[in-house]
């Protein structure tokens, strides 16, 4: 079980970091049994943004998602990286010109997929890599992806508000910064 205050912290952090407005449209496509659905449902409702509900299993059909995003002028949505890869290869992607931010979590985000995102999505669309276990209220770290990052890796980033991350070695001892 997640605690209510952990979810509230997560939602408040998302709003402070990404500043959803009443002009935004969030696509709720994650089955409600998954942790990501929590912010898809509640974040837009906290700020008066519009919430668009995808049809059941719509998250599995890139063509349907493209049509829905274009028709409803969706600005914000979530993908696990493997689904993002399929989405980016779907015909008609250019119709998704309303997309402002895509949030990825649930799997490691490969650098080449990040680069394909920046090549295929409309100019100005941002990609964010979030990481965390469900038990910690969905995500605990975040990273704003950078087109052409010379490191050729997508970090898990820094801790969200009111959260600390500890990196441990194989003996469960803290490692130094870097």
């Amino acid at each position: 079980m997640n605690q209510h205050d952990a979810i509230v912290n997560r939602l408040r952090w998302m709003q402070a970091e990404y500043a959803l407005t009443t002009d935004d449209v969030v696509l709720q496509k994650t089955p409600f049994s998954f942790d990501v659905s929590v912010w898809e449902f509640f974040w837009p409702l906290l700020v008066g943004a519009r919430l668009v509900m995808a049809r059941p299993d719509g998250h599995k059909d890139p063509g349907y998602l493209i049509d829905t995003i274009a028709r409803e002028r969706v600005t914000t949505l979530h993908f696990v990286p493997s689904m993002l890869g399929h989405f980016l290869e779907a015909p008609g992607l250019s119709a998704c010109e309303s997309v402002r931010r895509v949030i990825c979590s649930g799997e490691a985000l490969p650098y080449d997929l990040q680069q394909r995102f920046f090549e295929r999505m409309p100019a100005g669309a941002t990609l964010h890599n979030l990481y965390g276990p469900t038990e910690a209220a969905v995500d605990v770290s975040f990273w704003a992806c950078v087109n052409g990052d010379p490191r050729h890796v997508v970090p898990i980033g820094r801790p969200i508000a009111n959260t600390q991350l500890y990196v441990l070695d194989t003996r469960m001892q803290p490692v130094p910064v870097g």
Side-chain angles (χ1 to χ4, degrees), residues 89-112:
E89 297 308 316
L93 190 63
S94 61
C96 295
E97 60 190 24
S98 61
V99 174
R100 293 183 199 153
R101 71 184 66 79
V102 173
I103 296 171
C104 270
S105 66
E107 302 167 354
L109 178 58
Y111 179 81
D112 64 325

PDB file of all heavy atoms in Angstrom, residues 89-112:
ATOM      1  N   GLU A  89       7.477   4.534 -34.245  1.00  0.00           N
ATOM      2  CA  GLU A  89       7.555   3.920 -35.573  1.00  0.00           C
ATOM      3  C   GLU A  89       6.216   3.906 -36.304  1.00  0.00           C
ATOM      4  O   GLU A  89       6.149   3.517 -37.465  1.00  0.00           O
ATOM      5  CB  GLU A  89       8.105   2.490 -35.462  1.00  0.00           C
ATOM      6  CG  GLU A  89       9.521   2.432 -34.918  1.00  0.00           C
ATOM      7  CD  GLU A  89      10.495   3.342 -35.676  1.00  0.00           C
ATOM      8  OE1 GLU A  89      10.461   3.359 -36.922  1.00  0.00           O
ATOM      9  OE2 GLU A  89      11.277   4.051 -35.008  1.00  0.00           O
ATOM     10  N   ALA A  90       5.174   4.322 -35.645  1.00  0.00           N
ATOM     11  CA  ALA A  90       3.830   4.263 -36.238  1.00  0.00           C
ATOM     12  C   ALA A  90       3.654   5.342 -37.302  1.00  0.00           C
ATOM     13  O   ALA A  90       4.149   6.466 -37.151  1.00  0.00           O
ATOM     14  CB  ALA A  90       2.773   4.425 -35.150  1.00  0.00           C
ATOM     15  N   PRO A  91       2.951   5.010 -38.374  1.00  0.00           N
ATOM     16  CA  PRO A  91       2.653   6.025 -39.392  1.00  0.00           C
ATOM     17  C   PRO A  91       1.746   7.114 -38.835  1.00  0.00           C
ATOM     18  O   PRO A  91       0.917   6.852 -37.971  1.00  0.00           O
ATOM     19  CB  PRO A  91       1.928   5.236 -40.489  1.00  0.00           C
ATOM     20  CG  PRO A  91       1.887   3.817 -40.075  1.00  0.00           C
ATOM     21  CD  PRO A  91       2.421   3.700 -38.688  1.00  0.00           C
ATOM     22  N   GLY A  92       1.934   8.321 -39.310  1.00  0.00           N
ATOM     23  CA  GLY A  92       1.067   9.421 -38.914  1.00  0.00           C
ATOM     24  C   GLY A  92       1.525  10.163 -37.678  1.00  0.00           C
ATOM     25  O   GLY A  92       0.798  11.022 -37.160  1.00  0.00           O
ATOM     26  N   LEU A  93       2.711   9.877 -37.194  1.00  0.00           N
ATOM     27  CA  LEU A  93       3.212  10.497 -35.974  1.00  0.00           C
ATOM     28  C   LEU A  93       3.238  12.024 -36.060  1.00  0.00           C
ATOM     29  O   LEU A  93       3.054  12.712 -35.057  1.00  0.00           O
ATOM     30  CB  LEU A  93       4.609   9.962 -35.659  1.00  0.00           C
ATOM     31  CG  LEU A  93       5.188  10.315 -34.306  1.00  0.00           C
ATOM     32  CD1 LEU A  93       4.362   9.725 -33.173  1.00  0.00           C
ATOM     33  CD2 LEU A  93       6.625   9.828 -34.213  1.00  0.00           C
ATOM     34  N   SER A  94       3.407  12.548 -37.239  1.00  0.00           N
ATOM     35  CA  SER A  94       3.472  14.011 -37.403  1.00  0.00           C
ATOM     36  C   SER A  94       2.169  14.698 -36.984  1.00  0.00           C
ATOM     37  O   SER A  94       2.157  15.901 -36.727  1.00  0.00           O
ATOM     38  CB  SER A  94       3.819  14.372 -38.846  1.00  0.00           C
ATOM     39  OG  SER A  94       2.816  13.890 -39.718  1.00  0.00           O
ATOM     40  N   ALA A  95       1.082  13.934 -36.883  1.00  0.00           N
ATOM     41  CA  ALA A  95      -0.196  14.511 -36.446  1.00  0.00           C
ATOM     42  C   ALA A  95      -0.205  14.829 -34.955  1.00  0.00           C
ATOM     43  O   ALA A  95      -1.115  15.500 -34.473  1.00  0.00           O
ATOM     44  CB  ALA A  95      -1.340  13.543 -36.765  1.00  0.00           C
ATOM     45  N   CYS A  96       0.824  14.393 -34.234  1.00  0.00           N
ATOM     46  CA  CYS A  96       0.884  14.592 -32.787  1.00  0.00           C
ATOM     47  C   CYS A  96       1.580  15.903 -32.429  1.00  0.00           C
ATOM     48  O   CYS A  96       2.340  15.984 -31.461  1.00  0.00           O
ATOM     49  CB  CYS A  96       1.601  13.413 -32.134  1.00  0.00           C
ATOM     50  SG  CYS A  96       0.717  11.866 -32.307  1.00  0.00           S
ATOM     51  N   GLU A  97       1.278  16.944 -33.160  1.00  0.00           N
ATOM     52  CA  GLU A  97       1.956  18.228 -32.975  1.00  0.00           C
ATOM     53  C   GLU A  97       1.606  18.918 -31.668  1.00  0.00           C
ATOM     54  O   GLU A  97       2.307  19.841 -31.242  1.00  0.00           O
ATOM     55  CB  GLU A  97       1.660  19.150 -34.149  1.00  0.00           C
ATOM     56  CG  GLU A  97       0.189  19.449 -34.310  1.00  0.00           C
ATOM     57  CD  GLU A  97      -0.123  20.170 -35.611  1.00  0.00           C
ATOM     58  OE1 GLU A  97       0.653  20.061 -36.560  1.00  0.00           O
ATOM     59  OE2 GLU A  97      -1.159  20.853 -35.652  1.00  0.00           O
ATOM     60  N   SER A  98       0.547  18.496 -30.984  1.00  0.00           N
ATOM     61  CA  SER A  98       0.161  19.120 -29.717  1.00  0.00           C
ATOM     62  C   SER A  98       1.006  18.648 -28.532  1.00  0.00           C
ATOM     63  O   SER A  98       1.003  19.293 -27.481  1.00  0.00           O
ATOM     64  CB  SER A  98      -1.312  18.826 -29.414  1.00  0.00           C
ATOM     65  OG  SER A  98      -1.511  17.426 -29.293  1.00  0.00           O
ATOM     66  N   VAL A  99       1.734  17.545 -28.694  1.00  0.00           N
ATOM     67  CA  VAL A  99       2.479  16.957 -27.575  1.00  0.00           C
ATOM     68  C   VAL A  99       3.592  17.900 -27.114  1.00  0.00           C
ATOM     69  O   VAL A  99       4.421  18.328 -27.911  1.00  0.00           O
ATOM     70  CB  VAL A  99       3.057  15.574 -27.950  1.00  0.00           C
ATOM     71  CG1 VAL A  99       3.951  15.039 -26.838  1.00  0.00           C
ATOM     72  CG2 VAL A  99       1.929  14.597 -28.248  1.00  0.00           C
ATOM     73  N   ARG A 100       3.567  18.207 -25.814  1.00  0.00           N
ATOM     74  CA  ARG A 100       4.585  19.069 -25.205  1.00  0.00           C
ATOM     75  C   ARG A 100       5.553  18.283 -24.334  1.00  0.00           C
ATOM     76  O   ARG A 100       6.704  18.645 -24.203  1.00  0.00           O
ATOM     77  CB  ARG A 100       3.937  20.134 -24.314  1.00  0.00           C
ATOM     78  CG  ARG A 100       3.121  21.136 -25.051  1.00  0.00           C
ATOM     79  CD  ARG A 100       2.581  22.179 -24.075  1.00  0.00           C
ATOM     80  NE  ARG A 100       1.454  22.866 -24.661  1.00  0.00           N
ATOM     81  CZ  ARG A 100       0.484  23.426 -23.978  1.00  0.00           C
ATOM     82  NH1 ARG A 100       0.484  23.406 -22.666  1.00  0.00           N
ATOM     83  NH2 ARG A 100      -0.507  24.028 -24.597  1.00  0.00           N
ATOM     84  N   ARG A 101       5.022  17.236 -23.659  1.00  0.00           N
ATOM     85  CA  ARG A 101       5.877  16.469 -22.760  1.00  0.00           C
ATOM     86  C   ARG A 101       5.474  14.998 -22.768  1.00  0.00           C
ATOM     87  O   ARG A 101       4.289  14.674 -22.746  1.00  0.00           O
ATOM     88  CB  ARG A 101       5.858  17.046 -21.345  1.00  0.00           C
ATOM     89  CG  ARG A 101       4.597  16.863 -20.576  1.00  0.00           C
ATOM     90  CD  ARG A 101       4.601  17.545 -19.211  1.00  0.00           C
ATOM     91  NE  ARG A 101       4.650  18.992 -19.234  1.00  0.00           N
ATOM     92  CZ  ARG A 101       3.599  19.779 -19.472  1.00  0.00           C
ATOM     93  NH1 ARG A 101       2.420  19.274 -19.747  1.00  0.00           N
ATOM     94  NH2 ARG A 101       3.738  21.082 -19.446  1.00  0.00           N
ATOM     95  N   VAL A 102       6.505  14.164 -22.817  1.00  0.00           N
ATOM     96  CA  VAL A 102       6.321  12.718 -22.698  1.00  0.00           C
ATOM     97  C   VAL A 102       7.154  12.263 -21.509  1.00  0.00           C
ATOM     98  O   VAL A 102       8.332  12.608 -21.392  1.00  0.00           O
ATOM     99  CB  VAL A 102       6.750  11.984 -23.977  1.00  0.00           C
ATOM    100  CG1 VAL A 102       6.723  10.473 -23.778  1.00  0.00           C
ATOM    101  CG2 VAL A 102       5.850  12.379 -25.149  1.00  0.00           C
ATOM    102  N   ILE A 103       6.518  11.520 -20.641  1.00  0.00           N
ATOM    103  CA  ILE A 103       7.182  11.009 -19.452  1.00  0.00           C
ATOM    104  C   ILE A 103       7.362   9.514 -19.630  1.00  0.00           C
ATOM    105  O   ILE A 103       6.413   8.796 -19.969  1.00  0.00           O
ATOM    106  CB  ILE A 103       6.356  11.334 -18.195  1.00  0.00           C
ATOM    107  CG1 ILE A 103       6.285  12.859 -18.030  1.00  0.00           C
ATOM    108  CG2 ILE A 103       6.946  10.656 -16.965  1.00  0.00           C
ATOM    109  CD1 ILE A 103       5.351  13.349 -16.968  1.00  0.00           C
ATOM    110  N   CYS A 104       8.597   9.040 -19.441  1.00  0.00           N
ATOM    111  CA  CYS A 104       8.914   7.618 -19.546  1.00  0.00           C
ATOM    112  C   CYS A 104       9.295   7.080 -18.175  1.00  0.00           C
ATOM    113  O   CYS A 104      10.001   7.746 -17.423  1.00  0.00           O
ATOM    114  CB  CYS A 104      10.100   7.398 -20.488  1.00  0.00           C
ATOM    115  SG  CYS A 104       9.638   7.148 -22.186  1.00  0.00           S
ATOM    116  N   SER A 105       8.848   5.872 -17.889  1.00  0.00           N
ATOM    117  CA  SER A 105       9.262   5.174 -16.673  1.00  0.00           C
ATOM    118  C   SER A 105       8.900   3.709 -16.841  1.00  0.00           C
ATOM    119  O   SER A 105       8.281   3.318 -17.822  1.00  0.00           O
ATOM    120  CB  SER A 105       8.560   5.769 -15.440  1.00  0.00           C
ATOM    121  OG  SER A 105       7.169   5.545 -15.489  1.00  0.00           O
ATOM    122  N   GLY A 106       9.314   2.913 -15.872  1.00  0.00           N
ATOM    123  CA  GLY A 106       8.948   1.499 -15.873  1.00  0.00           C
ATOM    124  C   GLY A 106      10.012   0.579 -16.444  1.00  0.00           C
ATOM    125  O   GLY A 106       9.990  -0.617 -16.170  1.00  0.00           O
ATOM    126  N   GLU A 107      10.921   1.111 -17.227  1.00  0.00           N
ATOM    127  CA  GLU A 107      12.032   0.357 -17.815  1.00  0.00           C
ATOM    128  C   GLU A 107      13.179   1.349 -18.028  1.00  0.00           C
ATOM    129  O   GLU A 107      12.956   2.556 -18.044  1.00  0.00           O
ATOM    130  CB  GLU A 107      11.668  -0.216 -19.198  1.00  0.00           C
ATOM    131  CG  GLU A 107      10.478  -1.115 -19.236  1.00  0.00           C
ATOM    132  CD  GLU A 107       9.997  -1.368 -20.674  1.00  0.00           C
ATOM    133  OE1 GLU A 107      10.512  -0.756 -21.632  1.00  0.00           O
ATOM    134  OE2 GLU A 107       9.080  -2.176 -20.806  1.00  0.00           O
ATOM    135  N   ALA A 108      14.362   0.814 -18.238  1.00  0.00           N
ATOM    136  CA  ALA A 108      15.487   1.682 -18.584  1.00  0.00           C
ATOM    137  C   ALA A 108      15.204   2.331 -19.939  1.00  0.00           C
ATOM    138  O   ALA A 108      14.698   1.674 -20.856  1.00  0.00           O
ATOM    139  CB  ALA A 108      16.775   0.876 -18.647  1.00  0.00           C
ATOM    140  N   LEU A 109      15.507   3.602 -20.049  1.00  0.00           N
ATOM    141  CA  LEU A 109      15.301   4.345 -21.296  1.00  0.00           C
ATOM    142  C   LEU A 109      16.620   4.353 -22.072  1.00  0.00           C
ATOM    143  O   LEU A 109      17.568   5.025 -21.680  1.00  0.00           O
ATOM    144  CB  LEU A 109      14.840   5.768 -20.997  1.00  0.00           C
ATOM    145  CG  LEU A 109      14.619   6.699 -22.183  1.00  0.00           C
ATOM    146  CD1 LEU A 109      13.596   6.139 -23.167  1.00  0.00           C
ATOM    147  CD2 LEU A 109      14.200   8.083 -21.703  1.00  0.00           C
ATOM    148  N   PRO A 110      16.695   3.607 -23.185  1.00  0.00           N
ATOM    149  CA  PRO A 110      17.937   3.558 -23.951  1.00  0.00           C
ATOM    150  C   PRO A 110      18.235   4.893 -24.640  1.00  0.00           C
ATOM    151  O   PRO A 110      17.325   5.591 -25.089  1.00  0.00           O
ATOM    152  CB  PRO A 110      17.689   2.471 -25.001  1.00  0.00           C
ATOM    153  CG  PRO A 110      16.494   1.714 -24.527  1.00  0.00           C
ATOM    154  CD  PRO A 110      15.692   2.684 -23.698  1.00  0.00           C
ATOM    155  N   TYR A 111      19.509   5.206 -24.739  1.00  0.00           N
ATOM    156  CA  TYR A 111      19.945   6.449 -25.372  1.00  0.00           C
ATOM    157  C   TYR A 111      19.444   6.542 -26.808  1.00  0.00           C
ATOM    158  O   TYR A 111      18.984   7.594 -27.244  1.00  0.00           O
ATOM    159  CB  TYR A 111      21.474   6.547 -25.326  1.00  0.00           C
ATOM    160  CG  TYR A 111      22.008   7.795 -25.972  1.00  0.00           C
ATOM    161  CD1 TYR A 111      22.020   8.996 -25.276  1.00  0.00           C
ATOM    162  CD2 TYR A 111      22.487   7.786 -27.278  1.00  0.00           C
ATOM    163  CE1 TYR A 111      22.500  10.161 -25.856  1.00  0.00           C
ATOM    164  CE2 TYR A 111      22.970   8.946 -27.864  1.00  0.00           C
ATOM    165  CZ  TYR A 111      22.977  10.128 -27.157  1.00  0.00           C
ATOM    166  OH  TYR A 111      23.445  11.269 -27.745  1.00  0.00           O
ATOM    167  N   ASP A 112      19.530   5.447 -27.566  1.00  0.00           N
ATOM    168  CA  ASP A 112      19.100   5.499 -28.969  1.00  0.00           C
ATOM    169  C   ASP A 112      17.605   5.777 -29.089  1.00  0.00           C
ATOM    170  O   ASP A 112      17.166   6.444 -30.021  1.00  0.00           O
ATOM    171  CB  ASP A 112      19.497   4.237 -29.740  1.00  0.00           C
ATOM    172  CG  ASP A 112      18.823   2.977 -29.218  1.00  0.00           C
ATOM    173  OD1 ASP A 112      18.602   2.861 -28.002  1.00  0.00           O
ATOM    174  OD2 ASP A 112      18.525   2.095 -30.050  1.00  0.00           O
TER     175      ASP A 112
END
